[in-house]
Amino acid sequence: MQGPFTKDLSSRSVRVRILSTMLAFMAGGLLIAGFVSYYVQFTVLDDRVNAELLQEVDEFQRIAELRQSDVGGDESTEDLMRAAIQSAVPGEHESFLAFLDDRPQLKPQEQAFELDNPDTVEQILSTHTPGSTIFTHLEINGEAIPAAVASVELYSDDTPGIFVAANRIQNQRDQIWISAVTYTVVSLATLLASALVGLVVTGKLMRPIGDLRNATREITIDDLERRVPDPGTRDDVAALAQNFNRMLERIHEGYAHQRQFMSDVSHELRTPLTIIRGTLETTDLSDPADVSEGHEIALDELDRMNNLVTDLSTLAKTGRPDFVKFAPVDMAEFARNAMSRIEHLGPRRWLLDFGADVMARADEDRLTQAVVQLAANAVRYSEPHTTIELKVQHMSLSGRSMIMVGVRDEGIGIAKADQARIFERFARVSDSGGESGSGLGLAIVEAIAQAHGGSVSLTSRPGHGSTFTIIFPQDNTPVPDPEER
């Protein structure tokens, strides 16, 4: 059993999943971008520091070569080291130190840190290799500092010299780490702001879905008029709400028709049952003539009930996919066969107007059923020896190849007030003057026309007859609903 709190959590699950997924992707992207960026910065820093140390050693060597050429090879080690230290300009994170005879003697007046403390001097001397330049790390106050230790040897002076250049890389690394911390704080703030904005935006976007959920939970068979509020936007969520409302409209309309249909069926079946019951109750069993008359009335009413049930069964099948079975139909052969059937319905002057010597995809049995129904109506509401015409034509309508099947009579016609409802189930023409039918025949005709992707129409004037026309595509392809395009 679920309580209100559980339902509330369930209603927010989609919103939470969307936000979580979005934030997870953002966090992953920021993390990868930050890692790659700062990894590259640290790598570039190491390469740059090594390059600067190498550059300082190269500059020292160039100074030595220039001094040697200027003085003609009589340069002392001390003079060379002094000139090199005086011309050297340490950078923001650099320090230099010159050794003479394994003792620190010379250094620039201003530099980033000191190299002449005893522990550092001992490390330099232990690293120094005569005749070579060694790149190493000096441990100063617990900090590893990259350094270049270059041996200095002159032919003119046998005093050994050492030139040391060191770069305090940790300060630069600290600056990068400060930048990384700033980046992390900004990224977290961005994620938080994105979460708040996403919470608001997804709330607005998901509100129609929440309304849809509430509507589906609250709508009952007795409350089909409820609708989902239209969010007034032009997106998929708004389209979902609109489609749901259209679906409810169709369900509401179908349910209303079903209730009306069941009411009409109940009424139509109650009438013959009442007649049969009344006839049996009032029949004088001792009077053979009265018994015979009651017997005939009961059979007539049972026949009418049988016809009604048959028509109802046909209408019930109209919603099924197999209501019509399409196949190639020779319309010329169809017209001749249909005429041969309907001309026996009554003493009328039967005419065939044929102009459709083509093949069409249709259900010949259902089309014949529709034509027979229309012809039967024409016979019912017309006088003997008047004209009834069956017309089968091939035509073009709005660029489509169409088939037209029509039945025209010279009967009493149909009043304009009745024409609007003539195709409704159980609808009957007022003051028809003819034999009353079930009121389902024209509804069946309309269902057959629609199943063929077409429609049926009526043209009539009281006292001048009626014309019923079925039009459907030759290839039975229905015209798309404008709302579905």
Side-chain angles (χ1 to χ4, degrees), residues 246 478-485:
R246 281 196 289 266
V479 178
D481 186 342
E483 294 184 354
E484 297 177 355
R485 292 179 182 176

Side-chain angles (χ1 to χ4, degrees), residues 23 33 74 93 103 141 151 169 185 193-194 227 277 301 329 339 349 421 428 431 443 477:
L23 294 175
D74 295 330
H93 305 285
R103 289 181 299 170
N141 298 326
S151 177
I169 194 173
V185 172
S194 300
R227 297 293 179 267
R277 183 180 183 85
E301 292 302 320
V329 177
M339 176 57 73
R349 190 160 63 94
R421 63 181 186 86
R428 293 185 176 85
D431 301 327
T477 302

Side-chain angles (χ1 to χ4, degrees), residues 320-337:
R320 291 166 47 179
D322 60 348
F323 175 62
V324 292
K325 299 178 181 179
F326 291 106
V329 177
D330 186 336
M331 296 309 298
E333 186 69 19
F334 163 77
R336 288 190 292 268
N337 291 338

Side-chain angles (χ1 to χ4, degrees), residues 136-310:
T136 185
H137 284 81
L138 301 176
E139 190 75 22
I140 301 177
N141 298 326
E143 179 182 340
I145 297 179
V149 180
S151 177
V152 180
E153 297 179 352
L154 298 179
Y155 293 112
S156 58
D157 188 352
D158 58 359
T159 303
I162 302 174
F163 176 76
V164 180
N167 192 309
R168 194 170 189 175
I169 194 173
Q170 188 60 43
N171 286 350
Q172 302 171 73
R173 285 176 176 168
D174 290 343
Q175 293 177 1
I176 296 177
W177 278 115
I178 292 173
S179 174
V181 171
T182 303
Y183 174 85
T184 302
V185 172
V186 172
S187 297
L188 292 175
T190 301
L191 288 174
L192 179 60
S194 300
L196 295 176
V197 173
L199 194 65
V200 175
V201 172
T202 55
K204 291 182 178 180
L205 291 177
M206 299 296 290
R207 185 176 298 115
I209 296 181
D211 295 337
L212 181 62
R213 183 191 63 248
N214 294 333
T216 55
R217 183 173 60 242
E218 297 175 5
I219 289 175
T220 64
I221 198 67
D222 298 321
D223 182 25
L224 291 175
E225 295 184 357
R226 179 183 174 88
R227 297 293 179 267
V228 177
D230 191 336
T233 57
R234 297 173 62 87
D235 52 25
D236 292 339
V237 177
L240 176 62
Q242 294 164 3
N243 289 339
F244 183 76
N245 286 337
R246 281 196 289 266
M247 180 190 71
L248 285 180
E249 290 284 353
R250 292 192 294 268
I251 293 175
H252 187 199
E253 182 178 345
Y255 182 66
H257 287 170
Q258 182 185 35
R259 293 183 64 178
Q260 183 63 40
F261 178 70
M262 294 304 297
S263 176
D264 292 339
V265 168
S266 176
H267 174 74
E268 292 294 327
L269 290 176
R270 187 181 295 113
T271 299
L273 289 174
T274 301
I275 293 174
I276 293 173
R277 183 180 183 85
T279 299
L280 294 176
E281 288 178 347
T282 59
T283 298
D284 185 358
L285 299 179
S286 62
D287 184 354
D290 197 23
V291 172
S292 177
E293 181 183 2
H295 179 263
E296 292 179 0
I297 293 174
L299 288 178
D300 289 341
E301 292 302 320
L302 288 174
D303 287 340
R304 190 154 73 91
M305 289 178 62
N306 182 66
N307 293 335
L308 177 61
V309 170
T310 300

Side-chain angles (χ1 to χ4, degrees), residues 374-415:
L374 293 176
N377 281 354
V379 171
R380 182 178 296 119
Y381 298 117
S382 65
E383 298 295 329
H385 307 297
T386 57
T387 299
I388 297 179
E389 179 184 30
L390 170 63
K391 180 181 291 188
V392 181
Q393 299 288 336
H394 177 239
M395 58 187 295
S396 178
L397 182 63
S398 300
R400 303 187 73 193
S401 182
M402 311 292 285
I403 301 296
M404 187 272 285
V405 178
V407 175
R408 180 182 64 85
D409 64 65
E410 296 177 347
I412 62 174
I414 301 173

